[in-house]
Each structure stands twice: as structure tokens, then as C-alpha cells.
Amino acid sequence: MSILGTYMVPHPPLIIPEVGEGKERGVAEITTAFHHVAERISEQKPETIIVISPHQIMYRDYFHISPGKGAKGDFWDYGAEGITISADYDREFIANLEKLAIARDFPAGTEGEQTKRLDHGTMIPLYFINKYYRDYQVVRIGLSGLSLTEHYTLGQIIKETVQVLEKNVVIIASGDLSHRLKDSGPYGYNPAGPKYDQQIMDVMGSADFGKLFDFSETFLDEAGECGHRAFTIMAGTLDRTAVSSEALAYQGPFGVGYGICTYKPLEKDLSRNFKEQYLAKEKLWLDEHRTREDIYVKLARQAIELYVTTGQQLTLPEDLPSEFYETTAGTFVSLKKDGRLRGCIGTLQATKENLGEEIIENALSASTRDPRFDGVSEDELDKFIISVDVLGPMEAITSEADLDVKKYGVVVTSGYKRGLLLPNLEGIDTIAAQIKIAKNKASITEDEEYSLERFEVVRHE
């Protein structure tokens, strides 16, 4: 009893003839490959099909597993009447998966259900499978806003559940690729779109799953991808396992990439422990990075580590350069973990007696008081990088032409509302984007008048 096979498939509603009304002919290669996958699954005769879908309920810090006896859905939202898909859930598998997650203090379970209705990311794979095979139960799992390594960990827990229950299981990672392949596509064109599709098809086609962790969050956002996290969970189910992989098809005629790959698990292969390899490599990089931190970052880190481990606030050391005691400035302290923002708090202008106290205060705020995140825990202290931005004086400007996204930060003000964005941020390449984000942060609407200020920043890393 084991994982019989895993499959990476897309979920374009238009592939359903009643929805596509002829457009499905534009993805004929994908349709053919989908039928091939469904036929293969019918030959494997799994007891349980696990579907990992980006369109299942998604939480920032929790993986939702659908509870209950089952669910159904339809394609009415896509203009197709009369097509319904039903799924009977494998409650034994779900209960054991949740039990293992709780035992490992891993944030996954059946809490937080918002709707029982099947999502199209689940229905479309089942639509094809049902043409050939129906004697199965379903486990439906969503994604989260957690790191890629956490998604891989969920895959490992799924694999362990399969082993405990000794069931024959097939795993479907449902996900489209980039949504930004063409100007006519749903989200327009971004050069990162076709670049992502080429890279992810290379990675998934060769089952080189360790490279899934090398895709930065900025790159994933720019590409407008859909299924990367689902693919990473699936990869985790094949941890330490040799596989026979095959890339069956790729198409992207409508501005969205669709790819299908298949994986047949073979013998145990301890060298394919991709998460452990990545974490070891990341630790070496973080340790080396810390040796290069300048005195500004070292002060912020010292303040964070003391507070998190003891609850005490750092007293400004007496052996710092003179500017820490004799100058004042606004500062921002930012924390990143696994390539993602972990906290960022700052001040536009000085609020403390000196620069050193400003850095200490904002370091504590970024690590423990950012309302977007839980406070930093002690076991995270060696897992994030820190940057300290020291702001220059604000300068009122009258034209957007006076801005430069690489050189200047911007402050947008409308009445009492004020939004700030630092310069030289990943993924922000235009002045228009810089202003738009700053306005959004301040909830300044399109019809409100606003004024602009700019400032220079010295970034310490």
C-alpha cells in the first residue's frame, strides 16, 4: 500500500467543452494529456485521491483540509449548466492526517471551513478522472501563505499518513502556471511569466524538486503563478523517493500557462531529501551573511535577540560610532525570512534622542509589534536577515518626474492620510507603481488629491 503516482495538472475551466464553447480546441494537447492521466489513474485503481488546490480555502498561516462526508460543485459560474462534480471524502485519512499534523505542531487541519462547495481547481481533475474511474474517495487540501519549506513539510506528513494507513493513494497537484504570458491574458504581460513557465517545466519535467525552493517570492508574484505551492506539497510526498517523471504537455495560448507532468514513485532514495538540503544550504548562507552585517544591523539584531530571549530592552551600548549618539533620523527596520517579509516598522522622522535609540525601538517594533505578523520566536532568531534604512530629510516635490524608484523613497499625503514606500524595493520598477502602493497603504483613493515628498535612504544590511 503506497503512493501509486502523483500528477501535476492545470485547471482551466475552458477545457470543459460546455464552458469553452470551442476555445477548448486551443488546448488540445493539454486535453489529450489530461485523458492520458485519467486513464493511468484508472489503471492504478487508488482507494483515495488527494487533490491539492490553490482555489481551496487559503489562510495566511494554516493549511485547510476539507472536513465532513463530502461536497459537490458545478460550473454554473462559468456559464455551463448541468455539469456537477461530487466527492466523497476519506474521513479516516483526513482524521489521521490532522492527528499527525497536531502531533508535530504543524498548522494544518479541518478548522476554518467557509464553504463546502468544490472549487474548480478540484473539480476539473475529477471531471476527467470520472470519465474512466469512480471507485475512490477524496481528500481536499488547500495552500497557505507560509513558506515553501512548510508546504513541502505538509507533503511529508501526507506521505507519512499514507504509510500509517497502508492505503493506495494518488496525489493531484492542481495548478496553472503563469497568468502573465500575453497582454491579452487575464493579468497582462510580464517578462517573468514566460520565464517562470520555462523554468518550472524544466524543474517539474525532470523531477528536480530541490529547485522549487529557488524561486523567490518576488519572482513568483511577478509571474502571477498559480500552482507553485501545490507542486511543492506534492514534491514533499515524494521525499527521499526516486521517481520516473514525464512531462506530457505544455500550452499557453490564452495568456495562462498549462502544464502536465506525471511521476511514478520507485525505490527509496535518501539523496532526494530536498528540504533538508535546502535548509542546510540556507543556514550556511545566513551564517555567512551575518558575518558581513554592519554596525547598524548588528545593533538591531542585538536588540531583537535580547528582547525575544529575556524580555528586556537593550540599553544603548557605549562603544558605538559617534553618529549613533550625536545624530537623529527616522529609520526603518525590516526582517525577512525565507525570502518573505517577516516584519517592518519605522519612523518618518526622529522620535528618539539619538539614532541608536531610534534603531533599537524600531527593531523591537518590527520583530514584536508589526500587526501583520506574530512576534518573532526564539527559534527564529537565526533564520532571518535584517536591514536598517536611515532616512534623509523629507523634500516636497511638485512632479512625479522628480522621483526615482531606485534612489528616492516617496511619501504620499492626502489630508490626514499618509503613505510611505522605501526606494529600491524588489519588484517595484516604475514611479507609477511606487506611488500606487504608497497610496494604497494610506487608503488614498484615485479621486483624492494628494501631495508628494521624497527622501533618500542609506540602507544597511
Side-chain angles (χ1 to χ4, degrees), residues 378-394:
E378 192 167 344
D379 62 1
E380 291 181 281
L381 291 176
D382 62 349
K383 295 181 175 65
F384 56 76
I385 61 173
I386 300 172
S387 63
V388 177
D389 293 308
V390 180
L391 280 58
M394 298 292 161

Side-chain angles (χ1 to χ4, degrees), residues 14 21-29 31 251 254:
L14 61 80
E21 296 181 333
K23 286 186 178 180
E24 72 277 5
R25 291 191 289 270
V27 288
E29 293 176 25
T31 303
Q251 288 185 278
F254 306 117

Side-chain angles (χ1 to χ4, degrees), residues 446-458:
E446 288 297 322
D447 58 348
E448 289 182 283
E449 294 185 358
Y450 60 87
S451 60
L452 297 172
E453 295 172 278
R454 71 181 186 184
F455 58 92
E456 292 190 64
V457 164
V458 177

